[in-house]
Amino acid sequence: LAQIEELKRELRTKEDYLQSANEELETSNEELKSTNEELQTVNEELQSTNEELETSKEELQSVNEELSTVNTELQTKVTDLTRINNDMNNLLAGTGVGTVFVDHQLRIQRFTPAVTQIINLILSDVGRPVGHIVSNLIGYNTLVEDLQAVLDTLIPRETEVETKSGDWFLLRIRPYRTLENVIEGGVISFFNISEMKRTEAALRQTEAKCRVLFETMPQGVVFLNRSGQVIEANSAAERILGITIELLQQRSPLAPLGQVASENGTNIPVQEQPAMIALKTGQEVHGVVIGIQTPQKTAPTWIRVNAIPQFLPGEIKPYQVYMTLDDITTEKDLP
C-alpha cells in the first residue's frame, strides 16, 4: 500500500512536471510564432529596402551617367576656354599694344607684356592698385583720375603721352564691358605712335620749308577747289593779279576777276579760262597767255598761265587745280 502511494505521488509529480513542461512548450511555441512573425516582417522590410536600394542604384547610375555627360561637356568647354585664352594672349602679345585690365577698385587684373615698357609691372603686381605702380611717363600723372572718370561717366578718354625713352604712345582708357554689357572695370591701352610723331615732325618741317618757298617764289601760284573757288594763293599771285588774297578767296567762282583777254584782244569768259578748262576736262593747260586788267590798274598785266588738275586716288574728276602765273608784261612791251 505504501508502495502504491509512492507510485501515485511520483505519478502526480510527473504529471505536474509534464503539465509544466507542456505549458512551457506552449509558451515557447507562442514565442517562436511571434518571433517568426517578427522575422517575416523584418524579411518583408528587408525585401522592401532591397527594392528601394535597387531603385536608388538605378537612380544613382542615371545620375552618374548625367554627371559623366556634364563632365565631358565641362571638359570640352575648359579646353575651348583654354584655347581661346591662349589665342587671346597671343593676340594681345602679337599686336604689341600695351594693355592693362583693372576692376572697379582700380586693381590690376591682368596685363600684356608690351605694357611693361611703359609701366613697371611684374606678375606679382596683379591685385595691386594701378596708382601704386611707377610709370615711365613724362608729364602725365593723372592716370588714376582719368581712369576713375571713365568708370564714372563711361566716356572713353584719349591722350598722347611720352616715355622717358622718348617714345610716344596714344593712351586710350575705356570701360571694360562683358558680353552682357555689364561694366566690370576699365581697360588702359597704349598704342605706339612714335613713328607717326616723327613723321608729323618731318611733315611740319617740310611744310614750313614749302611755305617759305611758296611765299617767296617770284612766280604766282593759285589753288582752286573743284568748283573754281580760290582756296590759297601766294604773295606773288597777289602782286601779279593786283588783288589781295582775301578778296580772291571771297569772290564767287564765276565772278569775273576783271577784264580778261586773249593776245588778240578777244574777251575770255570765266568758263573758258585755263583753270576752269582744267577742272572741266581733267587735262593740263600750259602756256596760255592772257591779259588781266583789274579796276585797280590802268593797263593790263600780261600773264603766262599753266593750270594743272589734281586728283584723289581712284577718282577721275579733279578735286582741285593749281595755276602758275608768270608776269610777261615787260616782254610784251618790248619792240
Side-chain angles (χ1 to χ4, degrees), residues 61-278:
Q61 186 174 356
S62 176
V63 170
N64 188 50
E65 292 173 356
E66 291 178 359
L67 287 174
S68 179
T69 301
V70 171
N71 186 55
T72 302
E73 293 176 353
L74 288 174
Q75 187 65 36
T76 301
K77 290 182 178 179
V78 168
T79 302
D80 292 341
L81 286 173
T82 301
R83 184 181 300 109
I84 291 172
N85 192 47
N86 290 334
D87 291 344
M88 184 61 66
N89 287 335
N90 281 277
L91 174 64
L92 292 173
T95 58
V97 177
T99 306
V100 181
F101 301 89
V102 300
D103 60 15
H104 282 292
Q105 286 72 43
L106 309 187
R107 295 185 298 239
I108 297 171
Q109 300 299 296
R110 62 186 304 179
F111 57 88
T112 61
V115 81
T116 57
Q117 302 174 5
I118 308 160
I119 301 177
N120 299 328
L121 286 173
I122 57 177
L123 289 178
S124 59
D125 289 326
V126 172
R128 292 181 61 190
V130 70
H132 292 182
I133 308 300
V134 178
S135 74
N136 296 321
L137 300 177
I138 300 174
Y140 178 74
N141 54 9
T142 60
L143 176 61
V144 173
E145 291 79 0
D146 291 345
L147 184 55
Q148 188 61 58
V150 169
L151 293 181
D152 293 340
T153 64
L154 303 184
I155 300 175
R157 291 195 175 191
E158 288 186 358
T159 186
E160 294 181 358
V161 294
E162 184 182 12
T163 64
K164 296 176 182 177
S165 62
D167 292 321
W168 282 88
F169 292 86
L170 174 64
L171 168 60
R172 180 177 298 162
I173 305 174
R174 65 185 187 277
Y176 181 97
R177 297 179 185 270
T178 66
L179 293 176
E180 293 77 21
N181 201 31
V182 176
I183 305 300
E184 291 190 350
V187 182
I188 309 167
S189 301
F190 294 88
F191 300 88
N192 195 320
I193 57 172
S194 299
E195 188 63 33
M196 185 184 74
K197 296 290 285 187
R198 287 190 287 268
T199 302
E200 286 180 352
L203 285 175
R204 284 193 297 270
Q205 293 178 359
T206 301
E207 183 181 3
K209 294 176 182 178
C210 290
R211 176 59 60 180
V212 171
L213 178 63
F214 181 72
E215 292 297 340
T216 58
M217 64 189 302
Q219 188 179 51
V221 179
V222 180
F223 285 87
L224 303 93
N225 61 20
R226 66 180 66 206
S227 64
Q229 181 74 43
V230 174
I231 54 178
E232 193 169 7
N234 66 355
S235 299
E238 182 182 40
R239 172 179 50 80
I240 293 170
L241 295 174
I243 184 172
T244 65
I245 296 173
E246 290 75 13
L247 290 176
L248 279 173
Q249 293 173 335
Q250 292 171 7
R251 61 183 286 273
S252 169
L254 299 179
L257 185 60
Q259 293 182 356
V260 180
S262 63
E263 288 186 279
N264 59 16
T266 305
N267 184 60
I268 304 176
V270 174
Q271 291 289 4
E272 296 179 12
Q273 293 174 12
M276 301 306 291
I277 292 175

Side-chain angles (χ1 to χ4, degrees), residues 22-69:
N22 190 39
E23 290 176 354
E24 289 179 358
L25 181 60
E26 288 180 357
T27 300
S28 296
N29 284 337
E30 290 178 357
E31 291 177 352
L32 287 173
K33 185 177 180 181
S34 176
T35 301
N36 186 50
E37 290 176 352
E38 291 177 358
L39 288 174
Q40 187 173 358
T41 300
V42 170
N43 186 50
E44 291 175 353
E45 291 176 353
L46 288 174
Q47 187 174 354
S48 177
T49 301
N50 188 48
E51 292 175 354
E52 291 176 357
L53 288 174
E54 188 68 26
T55 302
S56 298
K57 180 182 177 181
E58 294 175 356
E59 292 176 351
L60 286 174
Q61 186 174 356
S62 176
V63 170
N64 188 50
E65 292 173 356
E66 291 178 359
L67 287 174
S68 179
T69 301

